[in-house]
Amino acid sequence: EANAKYKTALNIDNKNEAAWQYFLVNTSELRDFKEMYWGATQALELFPNNPFFYLFKAFAENDRKDYNEGVKTLLTGSKLIVDDTRTLADFYSSLGDNYHELKNHAESDKYYEKALDINPRNPTVLNNYAYYLSLRRENLEKAESMSKISNEIVPDQASYEDTYAWILYTNGKYDEAKKWLEKAMKDGGDKNGTILEHYGDVLFKLNDVTQAVEFWQKAK
């Protein structure tokens, strides 16, 4: 309903910069990336010096799996930021995500580090960076530490608990991993295929093959 009202307002006066910003925030709440891409593209034609619009365009490009364009958008927008370290950290975090998808791990790690230099307790950056390191089986002690901190900052978050469990699994700590995955499932992860699959993997390592197969089937 709010989306419709914002669009009506923008049809009356498309030079209303704040209305474009509110509209884009609302598309984010709706996870409507098609509308987000449209809105950010339109807003940038009118306000090419506003980094906020570049960030949302990059979010939409990420959803479209257009990671190369996302990187270009983020690098352009980041150069327009003045005295706003919080927004700059958001750009760096998104660059880390996009470079990861492009398998450019050196650049991905670089931008996650830059984001953490600004805010070392950003739970999203800590979680994503830790998980991607674990997938590559690199710097696992650092990954475990970052993931543990993200769970301290935002407790009872199934995806963060799953990340921590997966790092424990990768480090061979199967009993601890099992406990954290059970916690993740209690916190809403019992409908998440990845979490169910990870639980099956842990059970298999603990020689509970029958139950492992059961959870892999649930995951599938």
Side-chain angles (χ1 to χ4, degrees), residues 49-106:
N49 294 320
N50 187 329
F52 181 91
F53 299 136
Y54 287 91
L55 187 61
F56 275 79
K57 184 170 183 279
F59 289 158
E61 286 165 339
N62 185 282
D63 181 72
R64 293 153 68 106
K65 303 189 187 307
D66 199 348
Y67 305 117
N68 280 307
E69 282 303 311
V71 165
K72 290 178 189 175
T73 300
L74 290 163
L75 289 174
T76 302
S78 66
K79 294 171 185 173
L80 301 169
I81 298 171
V82 180
D83 298 329
D84 186 354
T85 54
R86 182 176 177 178
T87 300
L88 188 60
D90 290 337
F91 272 82
Y92 289 158
S93 172
S94 295
L95 279 163
D97 295 341
N98 277 268
Y99 276 121
H100 166 76
E101 296 295 345
L102 293 168
K103 296 183 170 47
N104 188 335
H105 303 310

Side-chain angles (χ1 to χ4, degrees), residues 74-171:
L74 290 163
L75 289 174
T76 302
S78 66
K79 294 171 185 173
L80 301 169
I81 298 171
V82 180
D83 298 329
D84 186 354
T85 54
R86 182 176 177 178
T87 300
L88 188 60
D90 290 337
F91 272 82
Y92 289 158
S93 172
S94 295
L95 279 163
D97 295 341
N98 277 268
Y99 276 121
H100 166 76
E101 296 295 345
L102 293 168
K103 296 183 170 47
N104 188 335
H105 303 310
E107 287 297 296
S108 177
D109 291 356
K110 181 179 87 173
Y111 280 102
Y112 283 139
E113 292 286 355
K114 285 166 79 80
L116 290 173
D117 283 343
I118 294 171
N119 179 8
R121 289 180 63 80
N122 183 318
T124 304
V125 178
L126 289 166
N127 176 74
N128 291 358
Y129 190 13
Y131 187 60
Y132 296 148
L133 285 174
S134 73
L135 293 179
R136 288 150 45 197
R137 296 181 180 271
E138 295 178 11
N139 295 323
L140 292 177
E141 285 187 17
K142 178 176 182 172
E144 185 174 331
S145 174
M146 289 193 296
S147 181
K148 184 178 181 182
I149 293 168
S150 73
N151 277 284
E152 290 169 355
I153 297 167
V154 185
D156 305 324
Q157 168 64 259
S159 62
Y160 291 179
E161 290 163 347
D162 172 58
T163 293
Y164 189 51
W166 185 248
I167 295 166
L168 292 169
Y169 168 88
T170 305
N171 282 329

